[in-house]
Amino acid sequence: MHKIVLFILITAVWSCNTKNSIRFAVKKGDGVFLAQPVHFDLKNAEANQIDFKEAMILFQETGKEDIEVSFQLDESNGGIWFVPVIDKGEDETLNFRLENGVSTSKSGTGVSNQKQNGNLQLRLQDKPVVSYRYEMTYPPVGADSIFRKSGYIHPIITPKGDTLTRIQPDDHYHHYGFWGPWTHTQVDGERVDFWNLGEGMGTVLFKEFKKEESGNVFTSFTAVQEHIDLKTKEDPQVALNENLKVRLWNLNRPDRYMFDYKSEFSSPLENGILFEAYRYGGGLGLRFNERWKADNCSVLTSEGNDRLTADGTNAKWCIVSGEASDGKGTNGILFMSHPKNRNHPEPMRIWPIDANGGRGDMFFEFCPIRHEEWKIEPNKNYELNYRMVVFDGTLNAEEAEAYWQSFASENQIELINK
């Protein structure tokens, strides 16, 4: 398995015409090169003859006709993000030129967000693909209202339109698509469960949005979520404050997109909170659609484990895939854990093949406390980072490793003065 390294070689040039420009190259590496986000740090180019306060255009130089490439400013770290056009040639690098000028491209950005009926929809080519539920969802008629919830992701929809997530299944009313409450915790020596809503101990709810942005390459939001201790009914207390950051990337291909899920959290409690070691809790969990059973879905992890052997093992990445809704082909999700996450490669909870009365329903979770407890100190910041690729068709192990390598390693920047 070859490791993919994106290595940015930057060359500053003073153009012969009136335009100022910076040229740089993205090294392909010696493995699979996939369309995925690349970051170029403008701070490293401050000495060059280009005005970053003016309009800029990015071109990919092909040796024939240059291709204009969409990019997006990232104000948080002073750079731009873009997705290269795949070049299957034998050259070791892809060459780019960033210059002052006004774009003449009339193509749409491809990504946007929209609030609709209590959901914040992240949209690709004007179709919702990842939706965050910020208003309250109530359980089905006849079920206890204690199972009501906000602050979760559903539906996740493939580019061709298959819904992969499920909420409120009758076997687990507390399952809400894609979400990450903590299960066995201790607050001042008392057990509190934020996952199993039916026990009435705790819940996780949306509070407010801090930030939303959309551009040519990604659309994103930051939602504030409160993990609420309900053990004292008269005076519930917030045990964790969480900033959930979700970013959808346009990969410029019809069968795949990518999104990031970053949880930043801290405890305002005087004594903090203890996450006990347990097979469920935190990280991220996903209850898959009801179509997938024991005989039509599969698992493959970075360590080579499958549906029969993966539960309880650790992995850098995991592919979960199953039969498409029309019975023709497959689709699924590649889950990736960042190396800075606690207990990386990260433990997983994957339902056994005979789960739920032998049906073999599919549930996946990266669970950083599966084998070891985690003490959250008061007013100290913690974070967990994940990346997902949602796909129609297939995604193989070599591609999964290439995606993970890009996620795991920051771009190496070298300024070359000539």
Side-chain angles (χ1 to χ4, degrees):
M1 185 73 67
H2 296 290
K3 181 177 180 181
I4 305 301
V5 178
L6 293 179
F7 191 84
I8 310 297
L9 302 174
I10 308 165
T11 304
V13 298
W14 180 258
S15 177
C16 295
N17 56 28
T18 59
K19 293 181 179 177
N20 304 331
S21 65
I22 296 173
R23 298 184 66 246
F24 60 94
V26 178
K27 190 172 182 180
K28 289 182 179 180
D30 57 355
V32 176
F33 188 77
L34 297 164
Q36 52 189 312
V38 172
H39 182 259
F40 174 73
D41 191 348
L42 296 178
K43 294 176 184 177
N44 289 338
E46 289 177 347
N48 294 293
Q49 306 285 346
I50 188 169
D51 190 345
F52 300 114
K53 296 180 181 179
E54 299 294 328
M56 296 181 291
I57 312 176
L58 179 65
F59 292 100
Q60 183 168 332
E61 300 176 341
T62 66
K64 298 178 181 178
E65 182 177 359
D66 293 345
I67 302 170
E68 184 176 343
V69 176
S70 295
F71 69 90
Q72 185 166 342
L73 291 169
D74 191 343
E75 297 178 359
S76 63
N77 59 19
I80 64 170
W81 288 97
F82 65 96
V83 176
V85 177
I86 291 299
D87 177 1
K88 298 188 185 231
E90 295 182 358
D91 293 340
E92 294 184 359
T93 60
L94 300 177
N95 298 318
F96 297 88
R97 183 178 74 256
L98 181 67
E99 63 183 37
N100 288 132
V102 178
S103 173
T104 59
S105 173
K106 296 182 180 180
S107 61
T109 63
V111 288
S112 61
N113 66 51
Q114 177 181 323
K115 288 190 175 77
Q116 188 174 88
N117 299 325
N119 302 297
L120 176 57
Q121 299 175 339
L122 302 185
R123 303 172 71 88
L124 181 64
Q125 306 304 333
D126 205 32
K127 295 179 180 178
V129 290
V130 175
S131 293
Y132 175 79
R133 180 67 177 173
Y134 59 88
E135 288 191 358
M136 192 69 74
T137 300
Y138 290 86
V141 175
D144 195 321
S145 64
I146 200 171
F147 289 105
R148 64 189 180 275
K149 175 138 177 56
S150 64
Y152 60 91
I153 291 175
H154 172 79
I156 295 175
I157 304 174
T158 72
K160 290 184 178 179
D162 269 11
T163 295
L164 297 183
T165 48
R166 184 184 186 187
I167 66 169
Q168 300 177 333
D170 55 13
D171 51 66
H172 292 76
Y173 283 135
H174 59 276
H175 280 192
Y176 277 89
F178 184 78
W179 84 125
W182 300 94
T183 309
H184 282 204
T185 79
Q186 289 186 24
V187 177
D188 295 328
E190 292 288 329
R191 178 173 171 253
V192 180
D193 187 338
F194 301 92
W195 178 292
N196 294 289
L197 300 178
E199 297 188 10
M201 294 184 184
T203 189
V204 182
L205 299 176
F206 166 80
K207 182 181 180 182
E208 63 184 354
F209 287 110
K210 290 183 69 173
K211 186 177 182 180
E212 302 169 40
E213 60 181 316
S214 288
N216 294 329
V217 180
F218 65 82
T219 183
S220 64
F221 68 85
T222 300
V224 179
Q225 300 187 153
E226 292 181 328
H227 299 235
I228 304 170
D229 174 5
L230 299 174
K231 291 293 284 288
T232 306
K233 302 291 185 183
E234 295 77 18
D235 188 23
Q237 64 178 346
V238 176
L240 285 174
N241 290 304
E242 179 185 19
N243 288 332
L244 176 62
K245 300 182 177 182
V246 178
R247 176 174 287 184
L248 172 72
W249 300 95
N250 183 0
L251 298 181
N252 296 319
R253 55 183 295 174
D255 60 341
R256 294 180 188 177
Y257 65 83
M258 176 184 290
F259 73 98
D260 295 340
Y261 182 99
K262 181 177 183 179
S263 173
E264 300 174 339
F265 56 93
S266 63
S267 176
L269 301 179
E270 181 179 357
N271 297 315
I273 183 173
L274 176 68
F275 301 153
E276 296 178 344
Y278 190 61
R279 67 179 182 274
Y280 291 103
L284 58 84
L286 193 147
R287 177 66 185 266
F288 278 91
N289 66 84
E290 59 273 22
R291 300 188 309 273
W292 290 2
K293 302 289 189 293
D295 62 349
N296 68 350
C297 69
S298 64
V299 168
L300 177 64
T301 78
S302 57
E303 313 311 303
N305 288 299
D306 59 16
R307 180 82 189 267
L308 296 175
T309 61
D311 183 46
T313 67
N314 297 356
K316 300 180 298 182
W317 53 258
C318 179
I319 303 170
V320 181
S321 60
E323 186 178 79
S325 60
D326 61 5
K328 301 176 181 178
T330 58
N331 46 43
I333 301 178
L334 163 66
F335 298 90
M336 290 174 272
S337 167
H338 196 276
K340 292 183 179 179
N341 285 0
R342 186 177 188 271
N343 283 338
H344 180 89
E346 204 159 336
M348 297 170 293
R349 171 58 172 160
I350 295 174
W351 273 358
I353 203 163
D354 59 352
N356 282 15
R359 293 198 310 265
D361 297 348
M362 187 64 214
F363 174 89
F364 171 85
E365 183 182 11
F366 270 131
C367 185
I369 45 78
R370 171 137 194 182
H371 305 303
E372 182 181 340
E373 67 180 26
W374 191 3
K375 180 64 169 72
I376 304 303
E377 301 294 341
N379 301 308
K380 183 178 178 181
N381 295 323
Y382 299 83
E383 67 179 56
L384 292 166
N385 289 275
Y386 303 97
R387 172 169 284 180
M388 276 62 61
V389 176
V390 180
F391 61 91
D392 286 304
T394 60
L395 190 154
N396 63 39
E398 193 175 14
E399 291 176 310
E401 180 69 14
Y403 278 125
W404 183 82
Q405 291 288 350
S406 179
F407 179 49
S409 305
E410 294 183 0
N411 299 333
Q412 300 176 42
I413 306 297
E414 179 181 334
L415 183 64
I416 302 174
N417 295 309
K418 290 187 178 181

